[in-house]
Amino acid sequence: MEPIYITGAGVVSAIGIGKAETLASLQAERSGIREIRYLKSTHTDLPVGEVQLSNDEMAERLGLGDSQRYTRTALIGKLALQEALQEAQLAGEALDEVHFISGTTVGGMDRREQIHAQEPGCGREIAEIATHNCAACTEMIAEGLGDFASMATLSTACSSATNAIITGANMLRCGLADIVVVGGAECLSLFHLNGFNALMILDHQPCRPFDRDRAGLNLGEGAAYLVMETAASAQQRGLKPKFVLSGYANTCDAFHQTASSPEGEGAYLAMTAALKTAGLNPEDIQYINAHGTGTPNNDESESKAILRVFGEHYPPVSSTKSFTGHTTSASGSIEAVFCLLALEHQFLPKNINWKTPMEEGIQPVTEEVAHPRIQHILSNAFGFGGNDSSLIFSKVNE
């Protein structure tokens, strides 16, 4: 099959604004999980991975006027999209042949919560609410950065951004597009902080994915976008891409509304299908960026799925959610950028906070690995309802 080249990427999360800050934090083992600062919540005992900028500060960076016009998801997304377009040499260019696909679930819920808290009859409710849905959030992210050929919004919970990447890849493969910009954005809101807290799966300490004593996840926020294009498009634009999306797959085991299946059936099917799409064998993968939420259910289920696919000699595995928190709908694209950084700089992101091995489970990367040779990386993103997706990123041989 024709290669799907990645020619640009942008990322924003609790560990940095942009790829340079993000890389520095990953290599220095600097987590962004800390006390709540920007979200106005009474649950100050719950650590989170917030982007360390206020809405006003983000608006200023973006050269926007009134930050109140924008949801926090949109501001975070704009920062990531701007970096991706710049790296792909699309910033300031006509985008009328470029398609934009973004994943989100919370969308503009943060602004809805602010309006709800105001006195009724303020005169802004109807106009404001119209900007809070997920599709409007995608339009708001794109606003001012270019007029895209089309825009679409995906919402499949925590696999949303990954499924946006898969959708864009299918458009390229089917000849429906030559260039796509794909990923996702999500801000923290009371809606999903309280929702996850009600499920009793939030840890009151920094999360410990794949640890025997893990107690849940920490929520986070962020955004990331990839620019992907056909070989003909990249060649025509004079680019020399470093990476390809070599494999991908989406499955849905529909085991439970929120829980993963005991044997990780959906995860197993997604990983095996992604390997098949890429034409690779399990032993060809040098690193797995796990979904690794830190919840008892996910980590046990994903661990079993990895062992089913790779056996006892599985490649190095880590969850970077111990750095950023679980950024829900944006997590798949944020971690996709982490994978690209690992491929480019040849390092293995560590699974920080880990101490004690799980019984009959995988043991993640916690120590420095000298001179790893990384050619292919598999990245997992699993959503509620068993909507599970896997991506494989590969380095282009020079």
Side-chain angles (χ1 to χ4, degrees), residues 45-382:
D45 57 325
L46 294 172
V48 294
E50 288 181 300
V51 173
Q52 291 301 295
L53 291 172
S54 69
N55 287 13
D56 287 342
E57 289 170 329
M58 284 190 281
E60 184 177 354
R61 284 197 181 206
L62 290 161
L64 303 175
D66 181 12
S67 67
Q68 292 298 307
R69 278 198 62 232
Y70 300 92
T71 65
R72 186 168 175 85
T73 296
L75 291 167
I76 295 170
K78 277 180 173 293
L79 288 170
L81 178 59
Q82 186 178 70
E83 182 182 31
L85 293 176
Q86 287 174 345
E87 185 175 57
Q89 299 179 26
L90 289 171
E93 299 294 322
L95 302 178
D96 53 357
E97 295 184 0
V98 179
H99 302 262
F100 182 40
I101 308 167
S102 185
T104 190
T105 302
V106 169
M109 183 63 71
D110 62 312
R111 292 289 294 135
R112 181 68 190 92
E113 290 167 350
Q114 293 170 23
I115 294 297
H116 180 72
Q118 294 177 2
E119 289 293 326
C122 67
R124 293 165 52 193
E125 292 95 331
I126 301 300
E128 283 276 2
I129 291 170
T131 68
H132 298 169
N133 68 74
C134 295
C137 192
T138 298
E139 293 177 354
M140 198 177 287
I141 290 170
E143 181 185 305
L145 296 177
D147 295 324
F148 289 95
S150 71
M151 290 188 284
T153 306
L154 292 183
S155 186
T156 58
C158 302
S159 57
S160 298
T162 297
N163 287 336
I165 293 171
I166 291 173
T167 301
N170 285 333
M171 290 180 68
L172 295 173
R173 285 265 161 88
C174 293
L176 297 176
D178 293 320
I179 307 176
V180 295
V181 183
V182 290
E186 197 93 293
C187 78
L188 280 170
S189 71
L190 298 175
F191 172 75
H192 73 311
L193 181 71
N194 295 343
F196 276 83
N197 196 33
L199 291 172
M200 298 192 296
I201 55 174
L202 295 182
D203 196 341
H204 289 251
Q205 302 296 322
C207 66
R208 295 151 280 170
F210 299 110
D211 191 287
R212 182 196 66 188
D213 301 319
R214 64 197 183 281
L217 58 87
N218 308 133
L219 281 172
E221 62 182 3
Y225 292 100
L226 307 181
V227 178
M228 305 194 308
E229 54 190 296
T230 63
S233 175
Q235 184 177 15
Q236 183 180 4
R237 299 200 308 119
L239 303 179
K240 293 184 178 180
K242 299 177 182 178
F243 316 107
V244 293
L245 175 66
S246 52
Y248 54 89
N250 167 255
T251 63
C252 190
D253 65 12
F255 171 76
H256 186 272
Q257 286 182 320
T258 58
S260 303
S261 61
E263 299 302 318
E265 187 66 17
Y268 168 79
L269 292 172
M271 288 187 281
T272 52
L275 285 166
K276 184 177 180 180
T277 304
L280 296 173
N281 297 314
E283 57 268 24
D284 295 321
I285 301 297
Q286 287 84 36
Y287 167 62
I288 300 172
N289 181 278
H291 188 56
T293 61
T295 62
N297 173 248
N298 176 88
D299 292 6
E300 180 180 359
S301 176
E302 187 174 11
S303 185
K304 288 180 178 178
I306 289 171
L307 291 171
R308 287 176 67 186
V309 176
F310 295 93
E312 293 297 328
H313 300 292
Y314 55 87
V317 181
S318 71
S319 169
T320 48
K321 289 180 176 64
S322 50
F323 284 90
T324 62
H326 189 356
T327 56
T328 55
S329 291
S331 61
S333 57
I334 289 173
E335 291 165 28
V337 177
F338 293 174
C339 292
L340 300 183
L341 291 172
L343 282 169
E344 182 174 7
H345 299 279
Q346 293 290 289
F347 75 102
L348 298 175
K350 295 180 186 175
N351 198 111
I352 58 178
N353 304 329
W354 184 92
K355 292 181 180 179
T356 310
M358 297 168 53
E359 294 181 9
E360 301 180 358
I362 61 169
Q363 185 165 325
V365 176
T366 58
E367 301 294 333
E368 190 79 27
V369 177
H371 310 296
R373 295 183 178 180
I374 310 171
Q375 180 67 33
H376 306 289
I377 290 177
L378 184 145
S379 185
N380 289 330
F382 307 143

Side-chain angles (χ1 to χ4, degrees), residues 11-30:
V11 64
V12 173
S13 74
I15 61 172
I17 311 300
K19 290 169 61 181
E21 288 184 13
T22 299
L23 175 64
S25 293
L26 288 172
Q27 292 184 323
E29 302 176 43
R30 187 165 52 244

